[in-house]
């Protein structure tokens, strides 16, 4: 009789285990696809930097859910079961979906999987298209360390070194011709500009130098165009048309990375500066920098993706970045010590003729078959950004 009782108990336990733990999670349930149209904002945090971008355009949110819905997963398993046999590496991105200011869904994204604290979804094919969606959003939208709420959007907010400028009474507004307008007195104080402004003559005086700046008298208060004012003071500005946020930052120092590694050089080498061995960056390039580029071709050595740049404005930016590159050292190539992992091959064209082919290594140095150049990252940052965006666009348009 006891054996029968124990058998019944054991059978009950087996049935309970099957009911409690045997239920399958589906991708549709994981992403709550039935309620996807209720999501008002996707917040994407890049773990490597801590920076945050917010996706609020409905068509972009819909694109995200279309990618998730079309992804085929070969396996879905509990987090605990996966963690017992595998290392859960830190996700590249954290995606949080909001319904207004309420968190509706949250998960981590890597190239190989999507997971939260309960479930791990493993796709049939990697990398995942949704990974490139998150990457594309981070590359094309302004990054912020501040986490925003719904009430922050569409307000013509002005960030000064990551912190919102507080206007006690008179809020910024949008001028179709001159952009964000804000109270002159507050801006002059926050920027510590010690400037004088005459709204009648539309002139601003900074350190005895007068220049034009649009402004207007509104309800007895003087407002000026914020972006050109900040740029007059040599600050970098970025207008985020999605969130309606103007971000004002310190002037970017492209040499900061190299200065931290190699120290600040005694002489900043312009493109024509000669070194002891009579090799300059101009000599290294061996091209006429007075002639415009007609094309630039960038090949990602890891993915073999090729980006071809022919847009005149983009080519001009490339020329400026190249001319402003700071050179630290040019040496004859030692293949054993200075090979490095090749990341990109860049070919410069003038009059549709290839005039220079060079490679960027994993250390962000540039080399050809003869010379190895340690330099600032300005040119590298430019083509990395534009080629990675092009690659993400290609993946997302499949």
């Amino acid at each position: 009789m006891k054996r029968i009782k124990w058998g019944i108990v054991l059978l009950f336990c087996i049935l309970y285990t099957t009911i409690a733990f045997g239920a399958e999670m589906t991708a549709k349930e994981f992403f709550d696809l039935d309620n996807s149209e209720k999501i008002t904002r996707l917040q994407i945090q890049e773990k490597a930097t801590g920076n945050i971008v917010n996706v609020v355009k409905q068509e972009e949110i819909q694109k995200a859910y279309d990618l998730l819905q079309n992804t085929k997963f070969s396996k879905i398993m509990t987090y605990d079961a996966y963690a017992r046999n595998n290392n859960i590496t830190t996700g590249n991105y954290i995606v949080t979906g909001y319904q207004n200011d309420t968190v509706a869904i949250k998960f981590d994204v890597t190239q190989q999987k999507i997971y939260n604290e309960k479930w791990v979804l493993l796709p049939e094919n990697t990398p995942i298209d949704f990974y490139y969606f998150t990457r594309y959003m981070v590359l094309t939208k302004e990054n912020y360390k501040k986490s925003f709420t719904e009430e922050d959007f569409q307000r013509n907010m002005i960030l000064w070194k990551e912190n919102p400028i507080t206007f006690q009474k008179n809020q910024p507004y949008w001028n179709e011709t001159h952009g964000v307008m804000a109270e002159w007195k507050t801006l002059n104080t926050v920027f510590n500009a010690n400037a004088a402004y005459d709204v009648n003559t539309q002139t601003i005086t900074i350190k005895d130098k007068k220049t034009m700046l649009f402004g207007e008298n509104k309800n007895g208060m003087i407002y000026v165009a914020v972006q050109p004012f900040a740029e007059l003071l040599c600050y970098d500005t970025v207008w985020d048309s999605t969130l309606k946020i103007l971000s004002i930052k310190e002037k970017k120092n492209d040499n900061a990375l190299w200065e931290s590694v190699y120290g600040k050089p005694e002489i900043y080498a312009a493109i024509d500066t000669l070194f002891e061995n009579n090799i300059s960056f101009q000599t290294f390039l061996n091209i006429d920098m007075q002639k415009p580029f007609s094309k630039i071709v960038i090949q990602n050595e890891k993915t073999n993706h090729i980006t071809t740049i022919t847009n005149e404005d983009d080519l001009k930016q490339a020329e400026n970045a190249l001319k402003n590159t700071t050179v630290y050292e040019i040496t004859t190539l030692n293949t054993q010590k200075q090979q490095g992992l090749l990341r990109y091959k860049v070919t410069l064209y003038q009059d549709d003729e290839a005039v220079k082919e060079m490679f960027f290594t994993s250390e962000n140095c540039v080399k050809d078959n003869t010379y190895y150049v340690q330099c600032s990252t300005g040119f590298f940052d430019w083509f990395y950004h534009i080629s990675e965006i092009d690659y993400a666009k290609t993946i997302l348009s499949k």
Side-chain angles (χ1 to χ4, degrees), residues 68-184:
L68 292 173
Q69 190 162 12
N70 293 330
T71 299
K72 294 182 179 180
F73 293 93
S74 60
K75 187 183 295 184
I76 299 177
M77 58 195 306
T78 65
Y79 182 96
D80 291 340
Y82 182 84
R84 278 197 297 270
N85 300 311
N86 303 273
N87 290 323
I88 296 276
T89 54
T90 302
N92 300 98
Y93 304 99
I94 302 174
V95 178
T96 308
Y98 287 86
Q99 294 177 357
N100 295 321
D101 279 329
T102 302
V103 175
I105 186 172
K106 186 174 183 178
F107 53 88
D108 284 55
V109 179
T110 73
Q111 295 190 51
Q112 294 80 24
K113 56 184 173 291
I114 296 176
Y115 64 92
N116 59 19
E117 69 273 7
K118 294 182 179 180
W119 297 94
V120 179
L121 281 65
L122 302 169
E124 287 185 359
N125 300 305
T126 60
I128 314 167
D129 285 355
F130 186 78
Y131 166 83
Y132 288 103
F133 170 82
T134 56
R135 190 178 191 183
Y136 179 67
M137 290 299 154
V138 170
L139 285 168
T140 56
K141 297 183 185 298
E142 176 65 358
N143 288 352
Y144 305 106
K145 293 179 181 177
K146 171 182 168 24
S147 181
F148 292 95
T149 61
E150 295 295 324
E151 64 181 14
D152 293 324
F153 300 147
Q154 317 298 327
R155 289 182 46 220
N156 299 311
M157 182 188 295
I158 303 170
L159 294 184
W160 165 246
K161 300 178 183 178
E162 300 291 351
N163 297 310
I165 297 178
T166 301
F167 296 90
Q168 298 295 336
K169 297 180 180 178
N170 306 291
Q171 297 303 312
Y173 59 91
W174 179 257
N175 180 292
E176 289 296 332
T177 304
H178 300 281
V180 178
M181 305 289 294
E183 184 185 86
W184 157 255

Side-chain angles (χ1 to χ4, degrees), residues 37-54:
E37 71 278 359
K38 297 179 182 178
I39 297 294
T40 55
R41 169 167 62 104
L42 288 177
Q43 178 181 282
I44 301 171
Q45 180 179 355
E46 187 177 37
K47 281 195 174 181
T49 63
N51 289 329
I52 295 171
V53 299
N54 284 274

Side-chain angles (χ1 to χ4, degrees), residues 368-380:
D368 57 13
N369 293 328
T370 308
Y371 296 107
Y372 183 84
V373 183
Q374 297 177 2
C375 55
S376 61
T377 61
F379 184 62
F380 175 85

Side-chain angles (χ1 to χ4, degrees), residues 223-240:
Y223 293 79
V224 296
V226 183
Q227 198 160 0
F229 180 27
E231 290 170 356
L232 283 173
L233 299 171
C234 297
Y235 290 107
D236 283 336
T237 64
V238 180
W239 170 245
D240 189 324

Side-chain angles (χ1 to χ4, degrees), residues 268-394:
Y268 274 75
I271 196 167
D272 291 315
T273 299
L274 294 179
F275 290 78
E276 291 181 0
N277 57 358
N278 290 328
I279 294 297
S280 69
F281 195 41
Q282 177 74 65
T283 305
F284 166 77
L285 292 174
N286 194 27
I287 59 177
D288 181 4
M289 287 301 293
Q290 301 304 314
K291 293 176 62 175
F293 293 142
S294 59
K295 180 170 65 173
I296 296 177
V297 176
I298 304 165
Q299 180 175 348
N300 186 318
E301 294 291 298
K302 184 177 181 180
T303 64
N304 287 323
H305 180 77
I306 293 176
T307 299
T308 302
I309 301 164
T310 56
N311 178 273
E312 188 174 338
D313 290 338
D314 290 337
L315 292 173
K316 189 65 179 176
Q317 287 183 23
E319 290 174 14
N320 291 334
L322 199 55
K323 288 177 180 178
N324 292 324
T325 294
T326 299
V327 178
Y328 292 83
E329 187 178 8
I330 300 180
T331 57
T332 303
L333 181 66
N334 181 320
T335 54
Q336 290 183 337
K337 291 184 178 180
Q338 299 170 323
Q339 180 64 31
L341 177 65
L342 301 183
R343 302 176 68 179
Y344 293 91
K345 179 173 74 174
V346 179
T347 308
L348 307 176
Y349 289 78
Q350 292 175 331
D351 296 329
D352 294 325
E353 178 185 354
V355 292
K356 180 66 179 181
E357 182 179 272
M358 50 188 174
F359 296 85
F360 282 79
T361 72
S362 54
E363 295 83 15
N364 294 355
C365 294
V366 61
K367 74 179 193 69
D368 57 13
N369 293 328
T370 308
Y371 296 107
Y372 183 84
V373 183
Q374 297 177 2
C375 55
S376 61
T377 61
F379 184 62
F380 175 85
D381 288 343
W382 175 83
F383 78 74
Y384 169 81
H385 186 79
I386 201 166
S387 62
E388 289 299 298
I389 288 177
D390 182 64
Y391 184 41
K393 278 183 177 179
T394 303

